[in-house]
């Protein structure tokens, strides 16, 4: 009798385990049907050819022109003044727009020096616009020094493009 109770104690858990594992349902994974082939899109109607008088609409940001500086200078050349005259006219015509003038430098010089030079360049452009009649409250300045070059390279053609005051409409 003791043997049969031991046998029952050992076999009962094994039997329960076998029954439980045998009852687990197998998951049936149905393969998804491939999606239907996309229909060929209808050919768009050809656009009428642009007439000579039509021009893409440019935003103020597209119309404002950067001002370029000589090496190690924040002085406005006559070409820079002419550019700022045109930019000031655009800003006068768009009196609700505000701009940030970013001062940039080429890679020559220390980081600190170029940040100061970029600040002087942005400020000289702002001062010119204010003398033209643009409200100083519409114009902010920031210097990036050499940190955001427009042109890559270590030659005069790249450096001359990086010595600039760049306008960003806010």
């Amino acid at each position: 009798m003791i043997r049969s109770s031991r046998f029952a104690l050992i076999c009962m858990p094994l039997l329960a385990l076998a029954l439980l594992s045998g009852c687990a349902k197998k998951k049936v994974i149905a393969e998804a049907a491939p999606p239907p082939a996309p229909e060929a899109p209808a050919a768009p109607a050809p656009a009428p050819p642009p007439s000579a008088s039509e021009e893409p609409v440019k935003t103020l940001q597209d119309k404002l022109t950067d001002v370029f500086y000589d090496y190690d200078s924040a002085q406005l050349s006559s070409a820079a003044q002419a550019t700022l005259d045109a930019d000031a006219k655009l800003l006068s015509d768009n009196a609700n727009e505000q701009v940030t003038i970013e001062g940039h430098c080429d890679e020559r010089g220390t980081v600190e020096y170029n940040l100061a030079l970029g600040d002087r360049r942005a400020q000289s452009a702002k001062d010119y616009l204010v003398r033209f009649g643009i409200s100083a409250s519409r114009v902010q300045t920031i210097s990036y020094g050499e940190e955001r070059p427009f042109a890559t390279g270590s030659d005069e053609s790249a450096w001359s493009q990086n010595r600039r005051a760049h306008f960003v409409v806010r």
Side-chain angles (χ1 to χ4, degrees):
M1 183 84 151
I2 294 178
R3 277 190 178 182
S4 63
S5 62
R6 271 192 214 166
F7 180 76
L9 285 174
I10 293 174
C11 288
M12 289 299 265
L14 292 175
L15 183 59
L17 184 62
L19 286 174
L20 289 176
S21 64
C23 291
K25 291 186 179 181
K26 292 184 179 178
K27 293 182 181 177
V28 177
I29 300 174
E31 290 186 25
E39 293 181 24
S51 68
S53 64
E54 287 182 14
E55 187 176 308
V57 177
K58 289 187 174 182
T59 64
L60 179 60
Q61 180 69 56
D62 297 329
K63 294 177 185 178
L64 290 170
T65 305
D66 289 355
V67 177
F68 295 93
Y69 295 87
D70 290 331
Y71 173 70
D72 195 29
S73 175
Q75 296 295 317
L76 295 170
S77 65
S78 58
Q81 290 177 10
T83 299
L84 284 171
D85 287 340
D87 288 344
K89 172 84 171 80
L90 288 168
L91 290 170
S92 292
D93 294 344
N94 294 277
N96 293 330
E97 299 290 344
Q98 297 182 356
V99 295
T100 298
I101 302 175
E102 300 175 345
H104 296 273
C105 300
D106 62 36
E107 64 190 30
R108 297 172 291 179
T110 65
V111 172
E112 295 81 11
Y113 181 81
N114 284 334
L115 282 171
L117 179 58
D119 185 57
R120 289 194 307 273
R121 287 176 175 168
Q123 193 62 47
S124 72
K126 178 181 178 176
D127 292 344
Y128 190 90
L129 294 175
V130 170
R131 283 193 304 272
F132 192 89
I134 304 300
S135 171
S137 64
R138 292 178 56 202
V139 183
Q140 288 183 346
T141 62
I142 189 168
S143 175
Y144 290 111
E146 64 189 70
E147 299 303 316
R148 294 187 179 183
F150 175 75
T152 57
S154 294
D155 57 12
E156 185 55 36
S157 67
W159 293 332
S160 65
Q161 294 178 59
N162 292 329
R163 296 188 303 255
R164 71 195 191 285
H166 176 70
F167 292 82
V168 178
V169 177
R170 300 186 261 131

Coordinates of all heavy atoms in Angstrom, one line a residue, residues 82-126:
A82 N 25.6 98.5 -52.6 CA 24.6 98.4 -53.6 C 23.7 97.2 -53.3 O 22.5 97.3 -53.5 CB 25.3 98.2 -55.0
T83 N 24.3 96.1 -52.8 CA 23.5 94.9 -52.4 C 22.5 95.3 -51.3 O 21.3 94.9 -51.3 CB 24.4 93.7 -52.0 OG1 25.2 93.4 -53.2 CG2 23.6 92.5 -51.6
L84 N 23.1 96.0 -50.3 CA 22.2 96.4 -49.1 C 21.2 97.4 -49.5 O 20.1 97.4 -48.9 CB 23.1 96.9 -48.0 CG 23.9 95.9 -47.2 CD1 24.9 96.5 -46.3 CD2 22.9 95.0 -46.5
D85 N 21.4 98.2 -50.5 CA 20.4 99.1 -51.0 C 19.2 98.3 -51.5 O 18.0 98.6 -51.2 CB 20.9 100.1 -52.1 CG 21.9 101.1 -51.6 OD1 21.8 101.4 -50.4 OD2 22.6 101.7 -52.4
A86 N 19.5 97.3 -52.3 CA 18.4 96.5 -52.9 C 17.7 95.7 -51.8 O 16.5 95.6 -51.8 CB 19.0 95.5 -53.9
D87 N 18.5 95.2 -50.8 CA 17.9 94.4 -49.7 C 17.0 95.4 -48.8 O 15.9 95.0 -48.4 CB 18.9 93.8 -48.8 CG 19.6 92.6 -49.5 OD1 19.1 92.1 -50.5 OD2 20.7 92.2 -49.0
A88 N 17.4 96.6 -48.6 CA 16.7 97.6 -47.9 C 15.4 97.9 -48.6 O 14.3 98.0 -47.9 CB 17.5 98.8 -47.6
K89 N 15.4 98.0 -49.9 CA 14.2 98.3 -50.6 C 13.2 97.1 -50.5 O 12.0 97.4 -50.2 CB 14.5 98.5 -52.1 CG 13.4 98.6 -53.0 CD 12.8 100.0 -53.1 CE 11.8 100.2 -54.2 NZ 10.5 99.7 -53.9
L90 N 13.7 95.9 -50.5 CA 12.8 94.7 -50.3 C 12.2 94.7 -48.9 O 11.0 94.4 -48.7 CB 13.6 93.4 -50.5 CG 14.0 93.1 -52.0 CD1 15.0 92.0 -52.0 CD2 12.7 92.7 -52.8
L91 N 13.0 95.1 -47.9 CA 12.5 95.1 -46.6 C 11.5 96.2 -46.4 O 10.6 96.1 -45.6 CB 13.7 95.2 -45.6 CG 14.6 94.0 -45.5 CD1 15.8 94.2 -44.6 CD2 13.8 92.8 -44.9
S92 N 11.7 97.4 -47.0 CA 10.8 98.5 -47.0 C 9.4 98.1 -47.6 O 8.4 98.4 -47.0 CB 11.3 99.7 -47.7 OG 12.4 100.2 -47.0
D93 N 9.5 97.3 -48.7 CA 8.3 96.9 -49.3 C 7.6 95.8 -48.5 O 6.4 95.5 -48.8 CB 8.6 96.3 -50.7 CG 9.1 97.5 -51.7 OD1 8.9 98.7 -51.3 OD2 9.7 97.1 -52.7
N94 N 8.3 95.1 -47.6 CA 7.7 94.0 -46.8 C 7.8 94.4 -45.3 O 8.6 93.8 -44.6 CB 8.4 92.7 -47.1 CG 8.2 92.2 -48.5 OD1 7.2 91.6 -48.8 ND2 9.1 92.6 -49.4
A95 N 7.1 95.5 -45.0 CA 7.3 96.1 -43.7 C 7.0 95.2 -42.5 O 7.4 95.5 -41.4 CB 6.5 97.4 -43.6
N96 N 6.2 94.1 -42.7 CA 5.9 93.2 -41.6 C 6.9 92.1 -41.3 O 6.8 91.4 -40.4 CB 4.5 92.6 -41.8 CG 3.4 93.6 -41.8 OD1 3.5 94.6 -41.1 ND2 2.3 93.4 -42.5
E97 N 7.9 92.0 -42.2 CA 8.9 90.9 -42.1 C 10.0 91.4 -41.2 O 10.4 92.5 -41.2 CB 9.4 90.6 -43.5 CG 8.3 90.1 -44.5 CD 7.8 88.7 -44.1 OE1 8.4 88.0 -43.3 OE2 6.7 88.3 -44.6
Q98 N 10.5 90.4 -40.5 CA 11.7 90.6 -39.6 C 12.8 89.7 -40.1 O 12.5 88.6 -40.7 CB 11.4 90.3 -38.2 CG 10.3 91.2 -37.6 CD 10.1 90.9 -36.1 OE1 10.6 90.0 -35.6 NE2 9.2 91.7 -35.5
V99 N 14.0 90.1 -39.9 CA 15.2 89.3 -40.4 C 16.2 89.2 -39.3 O 16.3 90.0 -38.4 CB 15.8 89.9 -41.7 CG1 14.9 89.9 -42.9 CG2 16.3 91.3 -41.5
T100 N 17.0 88.1 -39.5 CA 18.2 88.0 -38.7 C 19.4 88.0 -39.7 O 19.3 87.4 -40.7 CB 18.2 86.6 -38.0 OG1 17.1 86.6 -37.1 CG2 19.5 86.4 -37.2
I101 N 20.4 88.8 -39.4 CA 21.6 88.9 -40.2 C 22.6 88.0 -39.5 O 23.0 88.3 -38.4 CB 22.1 90.3 -40.4 CG1 21.0 91.2 -41.0 CG2 23.3 90.3 -41.3 CD1 21.3 92.6 -41.1
E102 N 23.1 87.0 -40.2 CA 24.1 86.1 -39.7 C 25.5 86.6 -40.2 O 25.7 86.7 -41.4 CB 23.9 84.7 -40.2 CG 22.6 84.1 -39.8 CD 22.4 82.7 -40.4 OE1 23.1 82.3 -41.4 OE2 21.5 82.0 -39.9
G103 N 26.4 86.7 -39.3 CA 27.8 87.1 -39.7 C 28.7 85.9 -39.8 O 28.7 85.0 -38.9
H104 N 29.3 85.7 -40.9 CA 30.2 84.5 -41.2 C 31.6 84.9 -41.6 O 31.8 86.0 -42.1 CB 29.5 83.7 -42.3 CG 28.2 83.1 -42.0 ND1 28.0 81.9 -41.4 CD2 27.0 83.6 -42.2 CE1 26.7 81.7 -41.2 NE2 26.0 82.7 -41.7
C105 N 32.5 84.0 -41.4 CA 33.9 84.2 -41.7 C 34.5 83.0 -42.4 O 33.9 81.9 -42.4 CB 34.7 84.4 -40.4 SG 34.2 85.9 -39.5
D106 N 35.7 83.1 -43.0 CA 36.4 82.0 -43.5 C 37.1 81.3 -42.3 O 37.0 81.7 -41.2 CB 37.3 82.3 -44.7 CG 38.4 83.3 -44.3 OD1 38.9 83.2 -43.2 OD2 38.8 84.1 -45.1
E107 N 37.7 80.2 -42.6 CA 38.3 79.3 -41.6 C 39.6 79.9 -41.0 O 40.1 79.3 -40.0 CB 38.6 77.9 -42.2 CG 39.6 77.9 -43.3 CD 39.7 76.6 -44.0 OE1 38.7 75.9 -44.1 OE2 40.8 76.3 -44.5
R108 N 40.2 80.9 -41.6 CA 41.4 81.4 -41.1 C 41.2 82.3 -39.8 O 40.2 83.0 -39.7 CB 42.1 82.2 -42.1 CG 42.5 81.4 -43.3 CD 43.0 82.1 -44.5 NE 41.9 83.0 -45.1 CZ 42.1 83.8 -46.1 NH1 43.3 83.9 -46.6 NH2 41.1 84.5 -46.6
G109 N 42.1 82.2 -38.9 CA 41.9 82.9 -37.6 C 41.4 82.0 -36.5 O 40.9 80.9 -36.8
T110 N 41.4 82.5 -35.3 CA 41.0 81.7 -34.2 C 39.4 81.7 -34.1 O 38.8 82.6 -34.7 CB 41.5 82.2 -32.8 OG1 41.0 83.5 -32.6 CG2 43.0 82.3 -32.8
V111 N 38.9 80.8 -33.4 CA 37.4 80.8 -33.2 C 36.9 82.0 -32.6 O 35.9 82.6 -33.1 CB 37.0 79.5 -32.4 CG1 35.5 79.6 -32.0 CG2 37.4 78.2 -33.1
E112 N 37.6 82.5 -31.6 CA 37.1 83.7 -30.9 C 37.2 85.0 -31.8 O 36.3 85.8 -31.8 CB 38.0 84.0 -29.6 CG 37.8 82.9 -28.5 CD 38.7 81.7 -28.8 OE1 39.6 81.7 -29.7 OE2 38.5 80.7 -28.1
Y113 N 38.3 85.0 -32.5 CA 38.5 86.2 -33.5 C 37.4 86.2 -34.5 O 36.8 87.2 -34.8 CB 39.9 86.2 -34.1 CG 40.1 87.3 -35.0 CD1 40.4 88.6 -34.5 CD2 39.9 87.2 -36.4 CE1 40.6 89.7 -35.3 CE2 40.0 88.3 -37.2 CZ 40.4 89.5 -36.7 OH 40.5 90.6 -37.5
N114 N 37.1 85.0 -35.1 CA 36.1 84.9 -36.2 C 34.7 85.2 -35.6 O 33.9 85.7 -36.4 CB 36.2 83.6 -36.9 CG 37.4 83.5 -37.8 OD1 37.9 84.5 -38.3 ND2 37.9 82.3 -38.0
L115 N 34.4 84.8 -34.4 CA 33.1 85.1 -33.9 C 33.0 86.6 -33.7 O 31.9 87.2 -34.0 CB 32.9 84.4 -32.5 CG 32.6 83.0 -32.6 CD1 32.6 82.3 -31.2 CD2 31.2 82.8 -33.2
A116 N 34.0 87.3 -33.3 CA 34.0 88.8 -33.1 C 33.9 89.4 -34.5 O 33.1 90.4 -34.7 CB 35.2 89.3 -32.4
L117 N 34.6 88.9 -35.5 CA 34.6 89.5 -36.8 C 33.2 89.3 -37.5 O 32.6 90.2 -38.1 CB 35.7 88.9 -37.7 CG 35.8 89.4 -39.2 CD1 35.9 90.9 -39.2 CD2 36.9 88.6 -39.9
G118 N 32.7 88.1 -37.3 CA 31.3 87.8 -37.8 C 30.3 88.7 -37.2 O 29.4 89.2 -37.9
D119 N 30.4 89.0 -35.9 CA 29.5 90.0 -35.3 C 29.7 91.4 -35.8 O 28.6 92.0 -36.1 CB 29.8 90.0 -33.7 CG 28.8 90.9 -33.0 OD1 27.6 90.6 -33.1 OD2 29.3 91.8 -32.3
R120 N 30.9 91.8 -36.1 CA 31.1 93.1 -36.7 C 30.5 93.2 -38.1 O 29.9 94.2 -38.5 CB 32.6 93.5 -36.7 CG 33.1 93.8 -35.4 CD 34.5 94.5 -35.4 NE 35.5 93.8 -36.2 CZ 36.3 92.8 -35.8 NH1 36.2 92.4 -34.5 NH2 37.2 92.2 -36.6
R121 N 30.6 92.1 -38.8 CA 30.0 92.1 -40.2 C 28.5 92.2 -40.2 O 27.9 92.9 -40.9 CB 30.5 90.8 -40.9 CG 32.0 90.9 -41.3 CD 32.5 89.6 -42.0 NE 33.8 89.8 -42.4 CZ 34.6 88.8 -42.8 NH1 34.2 87.6 -42.8 NH2 35.8 89.1 -43.2
A122 N 27.9 91.4 -39.3 CA 26.4 91.4 -39.2 C 26.0 92.8 -38.7 O 25.0 93.3 -39.2 CB 26.0 90.3 -38.3
Q123 N 26.7 93.4 -37.8 CA 26.3 94.7 -37.3 C 26.5 95.8 -38.3 O 25.7 96.7 -38.4 CB 27.1 95.0 -36.0 CG 26.6 96.1 -35.2 CD 25.2 95.9 -34.7 OE1 24.9 94.9 -34.1 NE2 24.3 96.9 -34.9
S124 N 27.5 95.7 -39.1 CA 27.7 96.7 -40.2 C 26.6 96.7 -41.2 O 26.1 97.7 -41.6 CB 29.1 96.6 -40.8 OG 29.1 95.4 -41.7
A125 N 26.1 95.5 -41.5 CA 25.0 95.4 -42.4 C 23.7 95.9 -41.8 O 22.9 96.6 -42.4 CB 24.8 93.9 -42.9
K126 N 23.5 95.6 -40.5 CA 22.3 96.1 -39.8 C 22.4 97.6 -39.7 O 21.4 98.3 -40.0 CB 22.3 95.5 -38.4 CG 21.1 96.1 -37.6 CD 21.0 95.5 -36.2 CE 19.9 96.1 -35.4 NZ 19.7 95.5 -34.1

